[in-house]
Amino acid sequence: VAGSGDGQLHVYKAENRAATFGHVANLKPAHEAVITNLDISADGAYAQSADEARVLSYVDLKLGVKLPDPAYLRDTPWATWTCPLGWPVLGVHKIMTDHYEDENGSLSITAVARSRSGKLLAVGDRFGALMLLHFPAALNSGAPCFLGRAHCGAVRKLEWTCGDQHLVSI
């Protein structure tokens, strides 16, 4: 699955474990703005995507349709979590709002990455701060495990290495 600048999700199928892909479908309009984050469920049946307008959408990849009710997938296990919106990251927005003492503090989130173990969540913002929290980051989860300055500008991408030994930020 690939998200595009025109808000569409493009679904591809790998052919015979080779380096070739066959185009299966375009899911449109998945978003009205540029897609910024995309995650696939652990079973590969669903995708969640976020866009620049801070809209979170869910898609059934087998049926090729957008799901209107996000509560349907509330307890779905995800292979990755990079979307800055959703049930397991609600606490991040409160922490950011409290930290910046601004009701729009959560709008400064630019990157999110759940560790491969599923125990930690790294969050970067437009001011170069990096937070490390427990995952899921519930509203009542308390203070972040770590809050520090990582960049002189916005943190654009976060990725955990295999084994969660290191966190790479760009």
Side-chain angles (χ1 to χ4, degrees), residues 78-123:
W78 296 92
T80 61
W81 195 285
T82 63
C83 289
L85 308 166
W87 300 106
V89 295
L90 285 175
V92 172
H93 297 274
K94 175 155 181 16
I95 291 168
M96 294 296 277
T97 300
D98 292 349
H99 176 71
Y100 289 111
E101 298 176 354
D102 178 0
E103 63 187 36
N104 295 320
S106 67
L107 295 177
S108 69
I109 298 170
T110 55
V112 173
R114 186 195 65 201
S115 64
R116 297 181 194 288
S117 68
K119 295 179 181 179
L120 297 172
L121 182 72
V123 180

Side-chain angles (χ1 to χ4, degrees), residues 6 11 19-20 34-35 42 47 55 68 71 86 96 102 124 131 146 156 158 163:
D6 61 3
V11 181
T20 60
V34 174
I35 296 172
V55 174
M96 294 296 277
D102 178 0
M131 278 195 300
F146 171 81
R156 294 291 173 205
L158 296 168

Side-chain angles (χ1 to χ4, degrees), residues 3-162:
S4 65
D6 61 3
Q8 294 186 49
L9 288 177
H10 302 278
V11 181
Y12 297 89
K13 180 179 180 182
E15 302 290 340
N16 300 324
R17 298 184 184 247
T20 60
F21 294 91
H23 189 261
V24 176
N26 286 346
L27 303 176
K28 56 183 179 183
H31 290 274
E32 293 184 18
V34 174
I35 296 172
T36 57
N37 306 86
L38 177 66
D39 296 306
I40 307 297
S41 62
D43 63 3
Y46 304 101
Q48 68 176 357
S49 53
D51 66 21
E52 286 182 340
R54 310 297 256 179
V55 174
L56 183 60
S57 293
Y58 296 93
V59 174
D60 184 317
L61 294 172
K62 293 179 182 176
L63 298 176
V65 296
K66 187 174 177 179
L67 299 173
D69 186 5
Y72 176 74
L73 297 177
R74 181 177 180 166
D75 297 321
T76 299
W78 296 92
T80 61
W81 195 285
T82 63
C83 289
L85 308 166
W87 300 106
V89 295
L90 285 175
V92 172
H93 297 274
K94 175 155 181 16
I95 291 168
M96 294 296 277
T97 300
D98 292 349
H99 176 71
Y100 289 111
E101 298 176 354
D102 178 0
E103 63 187 36
N104 295 320
S106 67
L107 295 177
S108 69
I109 298 170
T110 55
V112 173
R114 186 195 65 201
S115 64
R116 297 181 194 288
S117 68
K119 295 179 181 179
L120 297 172
L121 182 72
V123 180
D125 73 8
R126 63 184 170 146
F127 303 110
L130 183 64
M131 278 195 300
L132 191 60
L133 302 101
H134 294 284
F135 186 87
L139 284 172
N140 59 357
S141 65
C145 301
F146 171 81
L147 174 63
R149 194 104 165 120
H151 294 260
C152 61
V155 177
R156 294 291 173 205
K157 177 79 174 145
L158 296 168
E159 186 67 43
W160 292 90
T161 60
C162 292

